[in-house]
mmCIF file of all heavy atoms in Angstrom:
data_model
loop_
_atom_site.group_PDB
_atom_site.id
_atom_site.type_symbol
_atom_site.label_atom_id
_atom_site.label_comp_id
_atom_site.label_asym_id
_atom_site.label_seq_id
_atom_site.Cartn_x
_atom_site.Cartn_y
_atom_site.Cartn_z
ATOM 1 N N SER W 16 21.552 125.261 59.311
ATOM 2 C CA SER W 16 22.749 124.989 60.083
ATOM 3 C C SER W 16 23.914 124.437 59.270
ATOM 4 O O SER W 16 23.722 124.063 58.131
ATOM 5 C CB SER W 16 22.414 123.973 61.219
ATOM 6 O OG SER W 16 22.118 122.721 60.632
ATOM 7 N N PHE W 19 30.716 122.771 61.451
ATOM 8 C CA PHE W 19 32.173 123.020 61.197
ATOM 9 C C PHE W 19 33.008 121.861 61.638
ATOM 10 O O PHE W 19 32.608 121.079 62.496
ATOM 11 C CB PHE W 19 32.557 124.233 62.018
ATOM 12 C CG PHE W 19 31.972 125.525 61.484
ATOM 13 C CD1 PHE W 19 30.771 126.042 61.954
ATOM 14 C CD2 PHE W 19 32.632 126.292 60.509
ATOM 15 C CE1 PHE W 19 30.185 127.188 61.510
ATOM 16 C CE2 PHE W 19 32.110 127.474 60.027
ATOM 17 C CZ PHE W 19 30.913 127.936 60.547
ATOM 18 N N ARG W 27 48.496 123.882 72.862
ATOM 19 C CA ARG W 27 48.391 123.445 74.261
ATOM 20 C C ARG W 27 49.260 124.322 75.100
ATOM 21 O O ARG W 27 50.435 124.497 74.833
ATOM 22 C CB ARG W 27 48.808 121.978 74.326
ATOM 23 C CG ARG W 27 48.832 121.427 75.743
ATOM 24 C CD ARG W 27 49.128 119.998 75.926
ATOM 25 N NE ARG W 27 50.308 119.670 75.159
ATOM 26 C CZ ARG W 27 50.627 118.400 74.757
ATOM 27 N NH1 ARG W 27 49.853 117.428 74.988
ATOM 28 N NH2 ARG W 27 51.726 118.167 74.113
ATOM 29 N N ASN W 31 52.174 125.249 84.028
ATOM 30 C CA ASN W 31 51.060 125.734 84.825
ATOM 31 C C ASN W 31 51.343 127.175 85.321
ATOM 32 O O ASN W 31 51.262 127.391 86.519
ATOM 33 C CB ASN W 31 50.749 124.808 85.972
ATOM 34 C CG ASN W 31 50.263 123.424 85.475
ATOM 35 O OD1 ASN W 31 49.490 123.441 84.556
ATOM 36 N ND2 ASN W 31 50.704 122.390 86.103
ATOM 37 N N HIS W 68 38.344 124.323 60.526
ATOM 38 C CA HIS W 68 38.997 124.248 59.241
ATOM 39 C C HIS W 68 38.407 125.272 58.277
ATOM 40 O O HIS W 68 39.140 125.826 57.494
ATOM 41 C CB HIS W 68 38.833 122.809 58.718
ATOM 42 C CG HIS W 68 39.487 122.581 57.402
ATOM 43 N ND1 HIS W 68 40.837 122.449 57.208
ATOM 44 C CD2 HIS W 68 38.946 122.492 56.182
ATOM 45 C CE1 HIS W 68 41.056 122.287 55.975
ATOM 46 N NE2 HIS W 68 39.948 122.302 55.280
ATOM 47 N N THR W 86 26.193 116.766 71.592
ATOM 48 C CA THR W 86 26.917 115.508 71.691
ATOM 49 C C THR W 86 28.358 115.811 72.225
ATOM 50 O O THR W 86 28.898 115.016 73.017
ATOM 51 C CB THR W 86 27.027 114.850 70.350
ATOM 52 O OG1 THR W 86 27.575 115.792 69.404
ATOM 53 C CG2 THR W 86 25.775 114.282 69.853
ATOM 54 N N VAL W 95 33.752 127.915 72.524
ATOM 55 C CA VAL W 95 33.703 129.273 73.082
ATOM 56 C C VAL W 95 33.920 130.199 71.913
ATOM 57 O O VAL W 95 34.750 130.024 71.131
ATOM 58 C CB VAL W 95 34.864 129.543 74.109
ATOM 59 C CG1 VAL W 95 34.895 130.930 74.598
ATOM 60 C CG2 VAL W 95 34.692 128.511 75.299
#
Side-chain angles (χ1 to χ4, degrees):
S16 65
F19 288 92
R27 178 174 50 200
N31 292 322
H68 179 75
T86 52
V95 177

